[in-house]
């Protein structure tokens, strides 16, 4: 839903509420003007937003969310340039079909290996040259391997941490530096962690992934404290089990564990990224969360409560 459409809906609700309350003695309802101000807090208009690991899955959903929230300049980063280009075209075509007549956002693809500090710095500088100062970073690039700890090789363990932790730090550091250099005082850095940062998943073994996400969450808190006086917020979005195209491949395997996952989720379903994560990521990226930093926002259907 576009920001303008959302405002129209909220205004119609507000108008109806004010009409209905004219003969009542209950507390006054917010005016349409107040509602519009609230919607502006969630707007990303005028902000440049970039997402890593955005060629598919959750990363692409975050770009869809930003486009629908008013962002007109965005960067899709992934190690695969062709997939990034395809993702950008999907985002633009989807936006055009959902918002006929609205200006199409400028979404550009960039290929980068997040484990290379030099490559990350070069890419961030190129994005700034192309689109202007960066206001929002979502670091979503990551991998998961289901290998028992007794047979986990050193090279595989290092690979998980290199991408999930080192790569995320390189991106966060480079963007934070650019925000300071360009006097961006309302910057938002969002690290994609996981509910696995605080719980042990079952029945699949994934010690390296779980440990890497715990590191991500604490890294965000540490950076949040250091960067707060620069006007830069750092938070984590920690999803639970989400129904993505990548998960579909797992569900096709014999003995897939989805029934166990659902049974252990109080809401008794897998998350739907389009409906369950777009709102939270916009909240963290926008002024709606302007006094929130160093926080882990868990969206897992209650899984981590048990």
């Amino acid at each position: 839903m576009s920001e303008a459409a959302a405002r129209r809906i909220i205004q119609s609700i507000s108008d109806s509420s004010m009409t209905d309350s004219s003969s009542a003695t209950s507390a006054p309802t917010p005016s349409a003007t107040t509602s519009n101000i609230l919607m502006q807090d969630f707007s990303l208009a005028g902000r440049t937003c970039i997402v890593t690991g955005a060629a598919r899955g959750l990363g692409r959903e975050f770009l869809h969310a930003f486009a629908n929230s008013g962002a007109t300049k965005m960067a899709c980063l992934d190690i695969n340039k062709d997939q990034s280009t395809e993702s950008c075209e999907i985002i633009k075509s989807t936006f055009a079909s959902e918002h006929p007549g609205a200006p199409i956002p400028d979404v550009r693809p960039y290929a980068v290996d997040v484990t290379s500090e030099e490559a990350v710095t070069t890419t961030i500088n190129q994005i700034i040259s192309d689109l202007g100062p960066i206001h929002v970073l979502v670091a979503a690039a990551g991998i998961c391997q289901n290998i028992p700890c007794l047979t986990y090789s050193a090279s595989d363990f290092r690979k998980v941490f290199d991408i999930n932790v080192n790569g995320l730090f390189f991106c966060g550091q480079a963007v934070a530096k650019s925000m300071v250099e360009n006097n961006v005082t309302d910057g938002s850095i969002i690290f994609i962690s996981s509910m696995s940062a605080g719980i042990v998943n079952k029945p699949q073994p994934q010690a390296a992934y779980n440990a890497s996400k715990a590191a991500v969450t604490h890294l965000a808190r540490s950076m949040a404290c250091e960067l707060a006086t620069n006007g830069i917020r750092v938070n984590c979005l920690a999803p639970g089990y989400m129904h993505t195209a990548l998960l579909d491949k797992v569900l096709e395997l014999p003995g897939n564990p989805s029934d166990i996952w659902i049974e252990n989720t109080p809401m008794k379903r897998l998350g739907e990224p389009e409906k369950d994560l777009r709102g939270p990521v916009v909240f963290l990226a926008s002024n709606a969360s302007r006094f929130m930093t160093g926080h882990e926002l868990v969206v897992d259907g209650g899984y981590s409560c048990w």
Side-chain angles (χ1 to χ4, degrees), residues 65-84:
F66 292 160
N68 287 339
S69 299
T72 55
K73 295 187 291 184
M74 295 179 287
C76 172
L77 284 66
D78 205 274
I79 196 167
N80 188 306
K81 180 66 176 290
D82 291 338
Q83 290 183 0
S84 292

Side-chain angles (χ1 to χ4, degrees), residues 61-239:
E61 286 299 333
F62 299 147
L63 286 174
H64 278 300
F66 292 160
N68 287 339
S69 299
T72 55
K73 295 187 291 184
M74 295 179 287
C76 172
L77 284 66
D78 205 274
I79 196 167
N80 188 306
K81 180 66 176 290
D82 291 338
Q83 290 183 0
S84 292
T85 301
E86 180 183 6
S87 184
C88 290
E89 294 307 313
I90 290 173
I91 292 164
K92 289 187 284 189
S93 62
T94 300
F95 184 89
S97 64
E98 293 178 348
H99 311 285
I104 305 300
D106 184 0
V107 190
R108 302 192 189 187
Y110 297 86
V112 62
D113 177 359
V114 297
T115 66
S116 168
E117 181 182 11
E118 181 181 359
V120 168
T121 300
T122 299
T123 302
I124 295 304
N125 289 338
Q126 185 61 54
I127 292 171
I128 294 171
S129 176
D130 294 341
L131 300 175
I134 297 167
H135 301 86
V136 176
L137 162 69
V138 179
I143 63 170
C144 180
Q145 297 173 331
N146 300 126
I147 303 174
C149 66
L150 292 179
T151 56
Y152 225 121
S153 69
S155 60
D156 279 335
F157 194 90
R158 290 191 185 101
K159 181 179 180 180
V160 171
F161 267 75
D162 204 17
I163 296 173
N164 292 8
V165 183
N166 297 348
L168 182 145
F169 174 71
F170 295 152
C171 292
Q173 181 188 53
V175 170
K177 284 181 178 179
S178 78
M179 289 176 174
V180 173
E181 292 168 358
N182 289 282
N183 297 314
V184 174
T185 57
D186 58 351
S188 176
I189 295 175
I190 304 166
F191 291 158
I192 302 306
S193 179
S194 169
M195 67 175 184
S196 304
I199 57 99
V200 176
N201 303 67
K202 60 181 182 181
Q204 71 277 17
Q206 51 184 55
Y209 177 83
N210 294 354
S212 74
K213 290 304 182 179
V216 165
T217 295
H218 205 59
L219 176 63
R221 291 176 180 143
S222 301
M223 292 181 66
C225 292
E226 293 186 35
L227 296 172
T229 55
N230 296 107
I232 301 170
R233 297 182 296 109
V234 186
N235 291 291
C236 279
L237 177 59

Side-chain angles (χ1 to χ4, degrees), residues 12-32:
S12 67
I13 294 173
S14 298
D15 291 345
S16 174
S17 298
M18 286 187 289
T19 300
D20 293 342
S21 63
S22 60
S23 59
T25 58
S26 58
T29 57
S31 67

Side-chain angles (χ1 to χ4, degrees), residues 7 19 44 100 129 132 156 181 208 210 244-245 259 262 289:
R7 287 180 178 178
T19 300
L44 296 175
S129 176
D156 279 335
E181 292 168 358
N210 294 354
T244 64
D259 289 343
I262 293 171
S289 60

